[in-house]
Amino acid sequence: MKASILIIEDEPAIVDAMQYVLEDEGFATIVRSTGSEVPMLLEREDISLIVLDIGLPDISGLELIKLIRPRFDVPVIFLTARSSEIDRVLGLELGGDDYVVKPFSPRELAARVKAILRRTGQREKELPPVSASVPAIWRVDADRRQIFYHGVGLELSRYEYNLLGVLLHSPGRVFTREHLMRLAWEEPDASMERTVDAHIKNIRAKLKAIAPDDEAIVTHRGVGYALHERP
């Protein structure tokens, strides 16, 4: 069965080029020029990956991913005419897996699609066992890939789970961004170190929603991150 790629883009010439290359690579494609019906489409279609333009006519792609992420873990590649770092990082912080800046090569896009599907299609990365010294406020159910904080189950993306799992393996140990990428990503060379910062920011927000006064993850400026050691 072919993997289905949902293209959400309102420029016909760009859509035609993407469809031609992706279908030539063996993918099935579904196209939408607006984002309003995408959540309902995801409920009824088996979508393997979304290529999402940030500048849609009815809703920003960044706003659309906010609607998608709480309910669907489908990988997303952003298309953007904005090349500034802040826009790229924002897209990753909101749950994007990658981004392509216009103008772009459709063949490059297809290569990125295949790389992401290869990562997500593999068996989830096995993490080392949680350290016995982890404070009692944490609990990990490795079989269900679920982490509990103060008794509350965290809704984590696959990379958020991997990152937090690495930190829980060695409380107090400072991990560099490069080290975290090697341990938490299947293909670390395909990612950027700033991606680690974006995911850590997301994890912190979820932890703060449960325990606002706790600083569970410590930043070591210029080095990396560590799980807070408690007495």
Side-chain angles (χ1 to χ4, degrees), residues 74-120:
V74 58
V76 174
I77 296 177
F78 278 116
L79 299 180
T80 175
R82 306 169 183 176
S83 58
S84 70
E85 183 180 39
I86 187 66
D87 290 313
R88 299 197 301 269
V89 172
L90 180 58
L92 294 171
E93 287 179 351
L94 292 174
D97 293 80
D98 202 350
Y99 63 88
V100 175
V101 179
K102 298 177 182 178
F104 61 90
S105 160
R107 292 291 175 188
E108 178 190 356
L109 173 68
R112 290 175 183 251
V113 167
K114 288 190 283 187
I116 290 174
L117 292 180
R118 199 161 52 240
R119 292 203 302 264
T120 57

Side-chain angles (χ1 to χ4, degrees), residues 126-222:
E126 289 288 345
L127 297 176
V130 172
S131 169
S133 64
V134 167
I137 59 172
W138 298 97
R139 182 170 70 84
V140 178
D141 184 340
D143 291 336
R144 293 176 173 81
R145 288 181 61 84
Q146 178 77 65
I147 297 176
F148 295 83
Y149 181 58
H150 287 283
V152 180
L154 297 167
E155 293 187 8
L156 301 170
S157 71
R158 58 186 175 277
Y159 294 131
E160 290 168 1
Y161 174 87
N162 289 350
L163 281 170
L164 191 50
V166 170
L167 295 176
L168 286 166
H169 173 60
S170 301
R173 176 180 175 181
V174 180
F175 290 87
T176 65
R177 293 173 177 82
E178 180 183 1
H179 195 185
L180 286 170
M181 290 185 70
R182 272 204 319 273
L183 294 173
W185 266 257
E186 289 87 355
E187 293 184 17
D189 291 342
S191 303
M192 304 180 302
E193 288 190 14
R194 287 300 298 272
T195 306
V196 173
D197 296 338
H199 286 291
I200 290 289
K201 181 177 179 180
N202 285 348
I203 294 170
R204 277 184 166 143
K206 293 172 183 181
L207 300 179
K208 284 286 187 182
I210 297 169
D213 297 329
D214 286 1
E215 290 293 340
I217 299 175
V218 181
T219 300
H220 292 262
R221 296 193 180 281

